[in-house]
Amino acid sequence: MADEYEHPELRNIASEIEELEDIGAMVVEDYETDVESRSGWMTKHASWIRLYFQEDYPLNPPWEGSSNESLPMLAEACNQYHARAMPAMFPSRDIIRAIPTGKIDEASKQRAERVSTHMSWQLMVKDKDYEKNKDRLLLSVPLHGSFFTKTYYDPVLKRNIVQNVRATDLVIPYGIGPRNIEDVERKTHVIPMSVNQSRILKEADFFLEECESYNDSTPNEADRTESEIQGTGASGRQDEYPCIVLEQHRFLDLDEDGIEEPYIVWVDLQSKQVLRITIRWDTDELGNPTDFKRPVECFTHYPFMENPDGFYGLGMGHLVGPLNVASNKLLRQTVDAATLANAGNASGFISQQLAVKGGDIRFQLGKFIKTTHGADDLSKGIWQFRFPGPSAVLQNIMQLLMHRSDRLATTTEALTGQTEKVMQPTTILALIEQGLQQFSAVYKRHLRSWNLELDKVFRLNRKYLDPEEYYAVLDASGVLQQSKVYRNDYEDDLQILPLADPKLTTEKQRLAKAEAEWGFLSQNPLVLNSPPHFYAASKRFLEALRSENTQEVLPNPNEGQAQRQDDPEMENAGAFLPIPQVPMAYPDQNHDQHIVAHTQALQTPQLGGAGRMALEEHIKSHERMSRMGGVNVTGMEGINGNAAVPPGTEGAFQPADQLEIGAMGESAPVTGAGGSNGMGGGGV
C-alpha cells in the first residue's frame, strides 16, 4: 500500500519487513517482562490512590462496623502544591519567550518575537486542551511522583500533539539507579482504543490492520482501584472492551548490519500483530539521516522530586503516604476506644440465676425496669464492661505524626492561610517564604521539563509547519491583529524558554514584591526624571495587580515625543501658559544656570499658582541632580544655554523627557526627546 505521507519520518515501513511476526512476539514479551519488573511499584501506586480519595480501609477491623475514617493528609499535600503551581506556571497566555543564540541583530530579534507569539498562540489558543492537560499534570505529579507528556506530529490530524501520559501507562523496565528518559532504550506506551478507532486508522493508512478486542479485560491494580473508588466499570459487553495497542520505542537491527537503530513499533496486544513501524531519528526530505541516527525522544518526564536510586520520581505518596497510613490507624483506634467507652460500658453479662425473663436487655435513657430481685442480688448477678476510653498517648502520637507530615508536605498553618497565633505580617511572610522553598525547587524541575517539551514542539514546527502560517492575536491595546510566521523562523538557532516565575508561588508574595518594587522606583529621582522608565515601572505595577487594559489609563511617553528643550528662558515661558508645560531636568545640564534663571522667574508677579508650583518642583529636580554629581560647572555652556558635555563622555547622557505636574494635578504635554543614560541619570 502506498504511503500518502511525505516526510520519511512519518512513513509506515512495516509492509516492507518480512519478519513482522517475530517482531510482534518480541515486543509483547519485552512488554510483559517490563510490567512484571514494576509490579511492586504498581501496588504502592494503588495504595496512594486510596489514600488520596480517603478510601484507605483497615485491613483487619476489630469488629463489624468499626471505624474506617481517614485523614486527608495526602490529598491536602497534593492540592496545596497544585493550587500554587498552576498560577505560577501560567501567569498569562504569553507563556513562551524565544531568544537568539547566534548573531543578534534586528532581523533575529523580530524572528524571535514572531516565534514567541506564534508558539504561545499555538499552545494556549489553537490547542484547546494544552492548559487543561497541564492542570491535570500538576495535580498528578505530587501524588505519583512522575508524570509524562508525549509530543509528536499526528499525520492523520496533521497537527502537533502534546499528550498527557500517566506513569501507569508508560511502562519502563524498572532498574536500579537514576536514568534520564532519553537513556532508556525500551519504553512502551499502553494505548487503549476501540475497534472502531483502529478501523479508522487502518482506513487512513496509519495501521496495517485493525485491532482485536483484548480478551483479558481485567485492568491493572491501579486502574481497578480507581474504578472502585469512583464507582465506574465496564458494562459487561464484550464489544465494548477496548483494544490494547502497545507503542514501543525500542532498538531493532532491521538492516542486519549488526547495529540496532531506534524505531517505534505499534503492536496489537491481543493478536500480537505489528500495526506500524516508523524510524526514530532525524532525516531530511529525502530520508538521509541528519544526526547520525541519534534517537529522537518524544516523551518528557515531569518528576516531583528526583529519585537518587531509580527512574520514577518521588512524590507525596512516597513521603506522606506512610505517615498518613499510621495516622489513620491511630485515628481509628481513638474512635473505636471512644465507641467502646460510650456503648461498651452500657453492656455486660447477666447471670441466669437472676431468672430475668426475656432475651437481651438494652439500656434505655430515662427508663427504670422493675425487678423482684434485691439490690445485692443484682450487683452480684450483673457484670458490666468498663472501658477506659481513648488514650491521651494515642492522640499525642497522632498529633506528632500529623505535625511532621505537615512540615514534610509544606502544609503548615501559614501556608494554608490559617494561623492560631497573632504574628507580625513580616514574620508571616518570612514563614511563607521559608516554607515554600521546597515548592520552588519542584517548580524549577518542572520548568526544566517544560523547556524540554517546548523544544520538542519547536522541532516539530521546523519540520511540519506550513511555509507560511497566518493567525490572529490581540495586541497590548486589545485590538485584533493579523500575524504571520514562517517555517524558516524555526531554525535551531533560537532558545525557547517558558515564561514562568517559580519564586512567586503565592498571591501575597507576588503583591509584596510588586509593592516593594514600586515603592523603590516611584521615589527614585533617576526614574522620576525618565518618563520611559517611569512608564515601565507603572506598567509593571499595574500588571502585577492583574489590571486589565492598562493602556487605557496609562499614557505611553514614547508616543508623540517632541524635541528636548534646554534653554531655561524657554522653560520659564512654558510655566506662564494656562496649563503649565515645564520639561524635565537633565543630568548633563548646567544646574546653577537653570536654578538662577528659574528663581528669577518665580519673582515675576504674573506667574500663576500652578506655574509657580511646577517651576519650584523643577528647581528641586536640578538641586537633586546637582547633589548627585550632575554636570554643574559654571561657564561650560553650549549652544542655547545647554551645558557642555565634558570630553570623553559624549553619548553618556541621553536623558528621556518628562514633565513636571502642575498645582492642579494636570499632566502637561511632553516637550522633550529622551532616552536613558548609562550613568543612571535617566534609568533604573
Side-chain angles (χ1 to χ4, degrees), residues 248-410:
Q248 193 168 97
H249 297 230
R250 59 173 303 135
F251 283 77
L252 295 172
D253 184 15
L254 298 182
D255 55 5
E256 299 181 352
D257 62 350
I259 299 177
E260 294 184 337
E261 289 87 14
Y263 292 90
I264 305 177
V265 185
W266 285 260
V267 175
D268 178 20
L269 182 57
Q270 176 61 31
S271 65
K272 299 184 181 180
Q273 284 187 325
V274 176
L275 307 173
R276 179 179 176 86
I277 299 179
T278 62
I279 62 175
R280 193 161 59 97
W281 63 80
D282 271 321
T283 70
D284 57 20
E285 296 292 339
L286 300 177
N288 301 314
T290 58
D291 196 15
F292 306 100
K293 294 187 177 182
R294 188 176 65 173
V296 173
E297 184 59 60
C298 68
F299 292 102
T300 304
H301 186 191
Y302 284 81
F304 186 78
M305 295 179 62
E306 292 291 347
N307 188 347
D309 297 318
F311 172 77
Y312 291 107
L314 302 177
M316 290 298 181
H318 295 87
L319 306 179
V320 181
L323 292 175
N324 203 161
V325 172
S327 299
N328 288 345
K329 290 181 179 179
L330 294 175
L331 172 65
R332 291 162 189 162
Q333 292 177 9
T334 302
V335 174
D336 288 342
T339 302
L340 289 175
N342 293 334
N345 289 341
S347 59
F349 299 99
I350 298 179
S351 174
Q352 293 183 353
Q353 296 178 356
L354 293 178
V356 178
K357 297 181 179 180
D360 298 337
I361 299 176
R362 293 186 177 276
F363 173 74
Q364 295 181 1
L365 291 176
K367 184 176 181 180
F368 291 91
I369 301 175
K370 295 181 179 180
T371 177
T372 58
H373 300 282
D376 292 338
D377 295 335
L378 288 176
S379 61
K380 295 178 180 178
I382 297 177
W383 185 86
Q384 183 181 3
F385 289 110
R386 302 204 179 272
F387 295 104
S391 170
V393 176
L394 292 180
Q395 299 179 41
N396 292 337
I397 296 176
M398 183 172 62
Q399 290 294 332
L400 174 63
L401 292 178
M402 294 178 63
H403 177 67
R404 302 305 299 184
S405 173
D406 289 344
R407 295 181 60 180
L408 186 61
T410 61

Side-chain angles (χ1 to χ4, degrees), residues 15 29 44 48 61 90 135 143 182 224 233 252 310 355 376 396 446 608 623 650 673 675:
S15 58
E29 181 180 358
K44 289 186 176 181
W48 301 333
F90 289 91
D135 193 4
L143 176 60
E182 297 84 2
R224 184 171 62 252
L252 295 172
D376 292 338
N396 292 337
H446 288 176
E623 292 174 345
E650 294 84 354

Side-chain angles (χ1 to χ4, degrees), residues 415-481:
L415 295 180
T416 55
Q418 299 177 354
T419 55
E420 294 182 357
K421 300 179 181 179
V422 178
M423 303 180 184
Q424 294 294 329
T426 54
T427 304
I428 296 178
L429 288 177
L431 291 175
I432 292 175
E433 181 180 358
Q434 290 299 318
L436 291 176
Q437 290 300 317
Q438 175 181 322
F439 281 173
S440 297
V442 178
Y443 295 149
K444 290 184 177 181
R445 297 186 196 106
H446 288 176
L447 288 180
R448 183 169 62 240
S449 300
W450 196 11
N451 192 44
L452 295 175
E453 178 187 294
L454 294 177
D455 286 340
K456 296 178 176 65
V457 177
F458 184 88
R459 171 186 172 272
L460 295 179
N461 285 339
R462 183 171 66 250
K463 285 182 170 292
Y464 306 115
L465 190 69
D466 292 337
E468 294 184 7
E469 179 166 293
Y470 293 86
Y471 60 99
V473 294
L474 295 175
D475 61 11
S477 60
V479 179
L480 190 65
Q481 297 288 344

Side-chain angles (χ1 to χ4, degrees), residues 474-479 481 535 539 543 548-552:
L474 295 175
D475 61 11
S477 60
V479 179
Q481 297 288 344
Y535 168 77
K539 187 171 182 292
E543 290 175 347
E548 298 180 356
N549 299 326
T550 57
Q551 68 282 349
E552 296 181 357

Side-chain angles (χ1 to χ4, degrees), residues 91-121:
S92 66
R93 286 186 176 271
D94 297 326
I95 61 171
I96 295 171
R97 173 182 296 164
I99 301 175
T101 58
K103 181 181 179 181
I104 301 178
D105 51 21
E106 190 62 30
S108 63
K109 292 180 181 178
Q110 292 178 2
R111 185 165 69 92
E113 182 64 26
R114 288 196 299 269
V115 170
S116 302
T117 305
H118 175 257
M119 285 190 66
S120 295
W121 169 85

